[in-house]
């Protein structure tokens, strides 16, 4: 019997929340999730809020921290960048790579995502690789070709051990911040395809352990039905993670049934 994959729910605050808003948020969120067990919970604040969250959480295991971005370089003359060592210093455990906003607005390519993944893994920070098709690509029936291209571009040549440390997030671009959500069947089909690619490339054992998250307008209303799908192992939540009560409801929807 394969070991069931523990659900993983992450809240990407994007460019929202100042450091002074972190303590009131955490006070409510901590209270709301007090009885939640068996879900991996990660908050992904902006860099300034991240420093504050790290100070308050002080290494607690119940809520772990992720960063929204990092430099592929390890240190030096890269004005404005944040290195993996700086993230480690704040007890950061995860980093988003290839988020569609970074691809679309800041020119992040599969090759850059790949370099960031290699740098992060060398410092024991686990990358969350975001992939997904645009509306035009879906309408043209190209979504699987796009997903495969992004997976290959970011992951080709990595070892099984490295793939074991990576989380993939399927985030259809047309569903991010738009209020449009993939139907559970559309999301499941994409997740199944991603797992099949991992299996074909690194073997069924690796792919059966890999966690694949869904992201794109997840809310407390639609989380449960998405998280019930067999290949959906969690959620990457943007807008809805800014409300600590609403985000706690999404986390609760990920608790395994008795
Ligand atoms: C995201 O930023 O990764 C995301 C999924 O955003 P939203 O939930 O707001 O669509």
């Amino acid at each position: 019997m394969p070991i069931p994959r523990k659900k993983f729910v992450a809240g990407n605050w994007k460019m929202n929340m100042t450091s002074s808003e972190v303590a009131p948020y955490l006070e409510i969120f901590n209270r709301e999730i007090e009885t939640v067990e068996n879900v991996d919970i990660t908050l992904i604040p902006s860099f300034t809020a991240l420093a504050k969250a790290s100070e308050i959480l002080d290494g607690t295991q119940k809520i772990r921290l992720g960063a929204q971005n990092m430099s592929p370089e390890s240190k030096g003359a890269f004005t404005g960048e944040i290195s993996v060592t700086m993230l480690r210093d704040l007890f950061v455990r995860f980093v988003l790579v290839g988020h569609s906003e970074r691809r679309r607005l800041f020119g992040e390519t599969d090759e850059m995502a790949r370099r960031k993944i290699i740098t992060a893994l060398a410092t024991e920070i686990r990358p969350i690789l975001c992939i997904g098709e645009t509306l035009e690509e879906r309408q043209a029936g190209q979504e699987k070709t796009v997903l495969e291209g992004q997976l290959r571009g970011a992951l080709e040549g990595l070892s099984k051990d490295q793939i074991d440390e990576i989380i993939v997030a399927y985030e259809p671009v047309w569903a991010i911040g738009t209020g449009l959500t993939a139907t559970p069947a559309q999301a499941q089909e994409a997740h199944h395809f991603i797992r099949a690619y991992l299996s074909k490339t690194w073997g069924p054992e690796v792919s059966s352990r890999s966690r694949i998250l869904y992201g794109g307008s997840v809310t407390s209303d639609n989380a449960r039905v998405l998280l019930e799908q067999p290949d959906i192992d969690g959620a990457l939540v943007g807008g809805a993670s800014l409300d600590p009560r609403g985000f706690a409801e999404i986390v609760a929807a990920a608790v395994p049934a008795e």
Side-chain angles (χ1 to χ4, degrees):
M1 266 288 274
I3 302 169
R5 297 177 292 269
K6 190 174 179 187
K7 293 274 198 277
F8 184 105
V9 179
N12 171 18
W13 290 359
K14 313 195 189 202
M15 198 173 72
N16 297 292
M17 307 271 271
T18 61
S19 64
S20 61
E21 292 172 285
V22 175
Y25 180 105
L26 285 177
E27 199 181 311
I28 299 170
F29 185 60
N30 262 319
R31 197 169 53 233
E32 297 287 323
I33 60 159
E34 207 173 333
T35 57
V36 168
E37 278 175 23
N38 285 322
V39 180
D40 283 335
I41 306 169
T42 295
L43 288 177
I44 311 181
S46 69
F47 287 123
T48 54
L50 182 60
K52 189 68 184 176
S54 175
E55 186 188 311
I56 298 172
L57 292 171
D58 195 24
T60 58
Q61 291 302 307
K62 184 143 187 181
I63 303 175
R64 293 182 292 173
L65 288 173
Q68 295 177 18
N69 189 26
M70 58 165 256
S71 171
E73 308 292 341
S74 49
K75 69 187 283 194
F78 300 99
T79 302
E81 291 291 276
I82 297 282
S83 77
V84 75
T85 320
M86 295 168 188
L87 298 181
R88 285 288 296 178
D89 197 36
L90 295 178
F91 306 105
V92 166
R93 308 278 296 275
F94 301 93
V95 64
L96 294 182
V97 170
H99 190 281
S100 68
E101 286 154 16
R102 296 225 54 95
R103 290 179 191 261
R104 184 167 51 87
L105 303 169
F106 304 101
E108 185 156 327
T109 59
D110 292 330
E111 177 53 25
M112 281 159 80
R114 175 188 175 75
R115 288 176 56 217
K116 290 180 185 190
I117 287 172
I118 291 168
T119 304
L121 288 175
T123 321
E124 291 178 11
I125 288 189
R126 300 182 61 182
I128 302 175
L129 170 66
C130 304
I131 58 172
E133 79 286 357
T134 62
L135 187 58
E136 296 71 43
E137 289 162 344
R138 178 164 277 269
Q139 283 170 342
Q142 292 169 346
E143 65 273 16
K144 289 181 180 146
T145 315
V146 170
L147 296 179
E148 182 158 344
Q150 291 174 336
L151 288 166
R152 186 177 307 111
L155 302 179
E156 193 167 45
L158 298 189
S159 68
K160 285 185 182 183
D161 286 350
Q162 286 175 310
I163 296 298
D164 263 337
E165 298 301 317
I166 293 170
I167 293 174
V168 176
Y170 169 59
E171 299 210 300
V173 179
W174 48 272
I176 296 183
T178 57
L180 296 173
T181 319
T183 63
Q186 282 172 325
Q188 167 57 27
E189 191 182 345
H191 282 233
H192 182 75
F193 176 80
I194 293 166
R195 199 176 306 285
Y197 177 83
L198 298 177
S199 177
K200 180 175 76 179
T201 318
W202 289 280
E205 281 187 19
V206 171
S207 78
S208 68
R209 287 194 291 264
S210 294
R211 286 187 291 187
I212 306 172
L213 316 182
Y214 171 77
S217 297
V218 174
T219 64
S220 49
D221 293 331
N222 59 27
R224 192 171 300 276
V225 59
L226 287 160
L227 290 166
E228 274 168 9
Q229 302 305 308
D231 286 299
I232 300 187
D233 306 310
L236 178 53
V237 185
S241 70
L242 294 173
D243 165 24
R245 291 187 182 83
F247 187 46
E249 283 178 32
I250 296 174
V251 170
V255 174
E258 297 274 297

